[in-house]
Amino acid sequence: MCSVLSISAGTQLYTGYHVISDQHIATAHEDINRALTTLPDKLSILDSLIISRQQEVQLVDTLNYLFPPQQYNHASLLFADSTPLIRIDNNRDITNVPQWFQSLIKIPEHHEKRIINNDDFDVGILELSASSRWAYTKYWQLFSNTLISHLLLMLTGGCAIYLISKKHFTSLRKLTTRAYNIDNLNQAPLALPDESDIKTIVRAFNKLSYQLDVNFKSQANEAVKLREQAYLDPISGLGNRSFFIHQISSWLDESHKGGLALIQTTLISDYYEQEGYQAGDKLIKQIAARLNDVISYNYTTIARLSRDEFAILIPNLSSEKLELLGKMVLKIFDDIVNNSKLVSPSTTDIGLVYIEAQISPSQLLTQLDNALTQAKLTPHKSIALIKDPNSHSSLGKQQWKQLLEQAINEDLFQYKFQPATLEDKSVYHYEVFTAIQKNKNFFSAGQFLGAIEDLKIGSWFDRHVIVTIVNRLNADRTIGPFAINITNSSIGDPSFTRWLDQLLSNNTQIASRLFFELQEISCIRNTDATSLLCSIIKRYHFGVGIDNYGRHFQSLNYLKEINPDYVKIDYAYTYQLNDQTKSTVLSSICRTAHSLDIKAIATRVETETQLERLSDLFVSGYQGFITEKYTQLETV
């Protein structure tokens, strides 16, 4: 429409220019022709040597009448021999037309010279210059009217087109928005519009979105099934021996403080023999359910190692609580025995190991077997506890609380930053590791995080760390990005959520340089609170990550709701990659994240061989000792 109106306006102005120019010249010709019929009689009676004042005035009046000053800049009469007779000059500026228009449009004056003849005798010469003042005035009026009329037409037409096609634009906007967010799953189908052509496209979009959602669920389910086949006991639903050993290795590298329990019972064999296989399988499921209900500590790993053996790993647990846990577990089996109809009595023995110092997995498993042997030698108790002989005296709750208070008040925290590196060797972020340095005593996060969770003061600790890192980012624009771990107790604290909302809203300028990492267990056990916290973080465009990705056997569908920027793969999957089963599971869970455009970062990568193997398994980046070769760790 704009093009058509522009062409129409241009054509009208072009034609008008030539018409007005021609009319300007034609008017001058008419005036000259009229003058040639009037002036011969007046000039023939004049004497070229003597002309009276009265005759001069009459000629001036005649010329002004024939050639109005408004239209002619110059008019003059000469005798036939070119002797000057009368000259009139009327130079006037064009005041009713803008100067810029006169500079843009050129309409020249019209000059003409005619011989005045009377009865075949030349009696004089007429010279004149027709002013372009009239032509400029006419053309300016035409230009203004044309421009205004076409602008009004354009505006009216645009409004009409907008009103007519508003409904179409609404449907197209919805389609455009859905196209930008086509990879966001779980979206409601678009409503079908009235327009038949757009309706076909909307149907195609809805079908594509549905298919993407189906494909993701299929991938997630495949990953779960592969993990279950590799690491899950099919009857109890608990982790198997391989899974438990991997979790021990991971825990020892992280913290090496806490407790383990090894449970051996004759109850299951007795059930299989006396009640049959169906009853035996049902009993195993009952035991697993009771263990999951009773043991509610964070990061707990419960596994079935063999037909009659179960094992429990609880990081950061005190020896007193470990003994209490053993009694609770023993009571579970005693209750089942008392409610059963078995003929022969069944026995249950529990070996407990508590450690605080560094120890190898093989040494730990040996101590666990020794503890179980001791339990069998004391049938009146059925529980035996072995404390790590190399462990140091453990701080109590109040001592940990006092230490943390002092660390915050006196700023005794030290921070180490470990890079997470992408495939192109660029640093994606630096994960913040916190420690406490008091005099000559050094306490790593693995030592005091358990106490923090136990005391429910994670929010208190997290606020201090977050404020410290935020202040550092504001003070120096060249550092970062940093990734801060959030404790589980903070996620369930509404006051922490409100506090973080306010803090992030006031520091959006550092959003691109700060990530927040949450544990996978929080996404599974505290889904609503985790989703709320992540939505607040994303509202201000800060980054979100999930740590210990794939550790738990629940569905990976939480990824769709949380939609993190990255996940950090649990060490159990990145250790011993020569195991084909483990590699297959790792590839599957990474592919699930990859389908949502989520970066999968492998943790504790230590060797070039391990790095090369990971590059073939949908892993986007890596973190661990290998990155320290490329980037110097910073300690503050």
Side-chain angles (χ1 to χ4, degrees):
M1 184 189 72
C2 293
S3 299
V4 172
L5 289 175
S6 299
I7 293 173
S8 172
T11 302
Q12 189 171 342
L13 292 174
Y14 177 81
T15 303
Y17 174 83
H18 289 284
V19 169
I20 291 174
S21 297
D22 292 343
Q23 189 175 356
H24 169 55
I25 297 172
T27 300
H29 286 169
E30 290 178 0
D31 292 341
I32 290 172
N33 291 333
R34 186 170 63 251
L36 292 178
T37 59
T38 302
L39 292 175
D41 293 336
K42 296 184 178 294
L43 292 176
S44 60
I45 62 174
L46 296 178
D47 188 335
S48 61
L49 298 176
I50 302 173
I51 179 173
S52 66
R53 178 65 181 168
Q54 182 179 2
Q55 289 175 323
E56 182 179 352
V57 170
Q58 287 178 349
L59 284 174
V60 169
D61 290 341
T62 300
L63 284 178
N64 284 333
Y65 171 75
L66 293 173
F67 306 105
Q70 297 84 359
Q71 300 180 22
Y72 293 88
N73 288 334
H74 162 73
S76 60
L77 287 173
L78 296 85
F79 286 108
D81 59 357
S82 298
T83 303
L85 177 59
I86 298 294
R87 181 181 176 88
I88 299 174
D89 291 308
N90 301 307
N91 291 322
R92 296 181 180 181
D93 294 331
I94 306 173
T95 58
N96 56 345
V97 177
Q99 189 61 43
W100 65 265
F101 187 77
Q102 297 180 49
S103 301
L104 182 66
I105 306 297
K106 299 297 182 182
I107 303 179
E109 296 180 357
H110 178 67
H111 300 278
E112 194 147 347
K113 180 178 181 180
R114 292 285 189 93
I115 296 175
I116 304 172
N117 188 277
N118 185 25
D119 294 334
D120 298 329
F121 289 99
D122 296 338
V123 294
I125 300 173
L126 174 64
E127 292 182 350
L128 57 86
S129 175
S131 172
S132 57
R133 185 184 303 107
W134 174 85
Y136 267 118
T137 302
K138 288 294 184 182
Y139 193 63
W140 169 246
Q141 291 175 350
L142 174 65
F143 181 86
S144 302
N145 293 336
T146 301
L147 191 64
I148 292 172
S149 63
H150 280 73
L151 284 175
L152 288 174
L153 284 173
M154 194 176 296
L155 182 62
T156 303
C159 291
I161 292 173
Y162 173 77
L163 293 175
I164 293 172
S165 57
K166 182 179 180 181
K167 193 172 183 180
H168 294 268
F169 289 150
T170 302
S171 300
L172 288 174
R173 265 198 308 272
K174 291 180 180 178
L175 282 173
T176 303
T177 303
R178 177 57 60 87
Y180 279 119
N181 300 292
I182 192 67
D183 57 343
N184 291 343
L185 305 179
N186 276 348
Q187 298 186 83
L190 289 171
L192 293 178
D194 295 333
E195 303 84 4
S196 59
D197 51 345
I198 300 181
K199 187 182 294 185
T200 303
I201 301 175
V202 169
R203 283 199 184 99
F205 264 82
N206 288 340
K207 186 175 181 180
L208 178 60
S209 297
Y210 172 76
Q211 193 60 48
L212 286 173
D213 191 54
V214 169
N215 289 343
F216 172 78
K217 289 179 179 178
S218 176
Q219 268 190 353
N221 291 335
E222 177 191 352
V224 171
K225 288 179 180 178
L226 285 172
R227 283 191 300 162
E228 290 176 350
Q229 291 172 5
Y231 301 115
L232 196 71
D233 175 63
I235 301 176
S236 65
L238 302 174
N240 58 21
R241 176 179 289 273
S242 177
F243 179 75
F244 187 72
I245 293 174
H246 292 157
Q247 291 301 315
I248 288 177
S249 300
S250 176
W251 164 63
L252 289 176
D253 284 341
E254 285 179 356
S255 170
H256 58 259
K257 175 188 175 182
L260 295 94
L262 180 60
I263 307 156
Q264 190 176 74
T265 180
T266 62
L267 180 62
I268 296 173
S269 296
D270 293 341
Y271 249 77
Y272 276 127
E273 292 176 7
Q274 299 179 33
E275 302 293 333
Y277 278 92
Q278 286 187 345
D281 289 349
K282 185 177 180 181
L283 173 65
I284 293 172
K285 293 176 182 177
Q286 181 185 357
I287 293 172
R290 292 289 302 276
L291 289 174
N292 280 318
D293 290 340
V294 171
I295 304 172
S296 58
Y297 297 101
N298 289 324
Y299 309 113
T300 298
T301 299
I302 306 175
R304 184 182 178 218
L305 306 186
S306 64
R307 181 175 184 174
D308 299 319
E309 286 185 334
F310 294 85
I312 304 170
L313 164 63
I314 306 180
N316 302 310
L317 188 71
S318 65
S319 59
E320 293 79 12
K321 286 192 174 183
L322 180 60
E323 286 189 276
L324 179 61
L325 172 70
K327 294 176 182 178
M328 292 168 58
V329 172
L330 185 60
K331 188 176 184 304
I332 292 174
F333 285 90
D334 288 343
D335 289 343
I336 295 175
V337 171
N338 293 334
N339 294 326
S340 68
K341 300 177 182 179
L342 294 176
V343 176
S344 59
S346 300
T347 61
T348 300
D349 301 296
I350 301 176
L352 305 174
V353 173
Y354 173 77
I355 66 167
E356 283 185 311
Q358 187 71 47
I359 189 173
S360 69
S362 60
Q363 290 174 325
L364 179 59
L365 291 173
T366 299
Q367 287 198 22
L368 199 56
D369 287 333
N370 292 338
L372 183 61
T373 301
Q374 289 184 22
K376 291 179 180 180
L377 296 176
T378 55
H380 60 283
K381 289 183 63 176
S382 299
I383 298 177
L385 170 64
I386 294 180
K387 290 187 178 181
D388 183 3
N390 299 320
S391 66
H392 304 287
S393 59
S394 177
L395 297 177
K397 281 187 179 181
Q398 293 306 316
Q399 290 174 305
W400 277 119
K401 188 173 183 180
Q402 290 173 5
L403 176 62
L404 289 166
E405 285 179 349
Q406 185 181 6
I408 291 175
N409 294 332
E410 300 178 14
D411 196 17
L412 302 179
F413 288 107
Q414 289 194 348
Y415 302 96
K416 186 170 71 170
F417 304 90
Q418 187 181 65
T421 307
L422 299 180
E423 291 177 299
D424 60 359
K425 298 294 191 296
S426 64
V427 175
Y428 184 54
H429 66 239
Y430 294 88
E431 184 174 352
V432 180
F433 292 97
T434 310
I436 298 175
Q437 179 78 48
K438 182 183 178 182
N439 300 325
K440 295 183 179 180
N441 296 319
F442 183 84
F443 302 92
S444 65
Q447 291 177 272
F448 60 76
L449 281 179
I452 285 176
E453 295 286 11
D454 202 21
L455 292 165
K456 304 297 182 186
I457 56 174
S459 170
W460 185 40
F461 169 73
D462 286 340
R463 293 185 195 206
H464 180 80
V465 175
I466 292 171
V467 169
T468 301
I469 298 301
V470 166
N471 289 340
R472 289 198 64 189
L473 289 171
N474 282 322
D476 188 348
R477 296 183 179 180
T478 64
I479 61 174
F482 293 135
I484 302 175
N485 288 279
I486 304 295
T487 60
N488 290 313
S489 55
S490 292
I491 294 172
D493 184 353
S495 64
F496 174 81
T497 302
R498 292 191 296 269
W499 173 85
L500 187 63
D501 188 356
Q502 183 65 37
L503 179 73
L504 298 186
S505 68
N506 295 329
N507 291 276
T508 55
Q509 69 277 4
I510 63 170
S512 63
R513 295 188 288 141
L514 186 57
F515 293 87
F516 293 92
E517 277 187 26
L518 297 83
Q519 301 294 323
E520 185 186 56
I521 188 64
S522 300
C523 302
I524 295 171
R525 293 187 178 177
N526 206 355
T527 306
D528 292 340
T530 304
S531 297
L532 175 61
L533 186 66
C534 289
S535 66
I536 290 172
I537 295 171
K538 290 183 177 181
R539 181 192 308 161
Y540 302 110
H541 306 293
F542 289 79
V544 175
I546 302 297
D547 200 8
N548 301 127
Y549 173 63
R551 171 173 289 186
H552 304 276
F553 288 109
Q554 283 79 357
S555 171
L556 299 177
N557 285 332
Y558 71 84
L559 288 178
K560 292 187 294 184
E561 185 171 354
I562 303 298
N563 194 24
D565 297 284
Y566 66 91
V567 293
K568 288 188 177 175
I569 306 162
D570 190 66
Y571 173 64
Y573 299 106
T574 59
Y575 177 67
Q576 292 180 345
L577 287 172
N578 290 330
D579 186 334
Q580 184 60 43
T581 300
K582 185 181 294 185
S583 297
T584 303
V585 175
L586 175 61
S587 174
S588 178
I589 64 173
C590 289
R591 191 165 60 247
T592 302
H594 184 75
S595 67
L596 294 178
D597 197 26
I598 298 171
K599 291 179 175 61
I601 299 175
T603 57
R604 301 192 201 174
V605 180
E606 299 179 352
T607 65
E608 293 287 350
T609 303
Q610 191 180 7
L611 183 60
E612 291 175 6
R613 187 75 183 89
L614 286 168
S615 63
D616 300 328
L617 301 173
F618 292 91
V619 174
S620 310
Y622 49 91
Q623 179 178 343
F625 176 74
I626 187 95
T627 61
E628 300 179 29
K629 294 181 180 180
Y630 305 117
T631 308
Q632 182 69 34
L633 292 182
E634 176 187 1
T635 304
V636 181

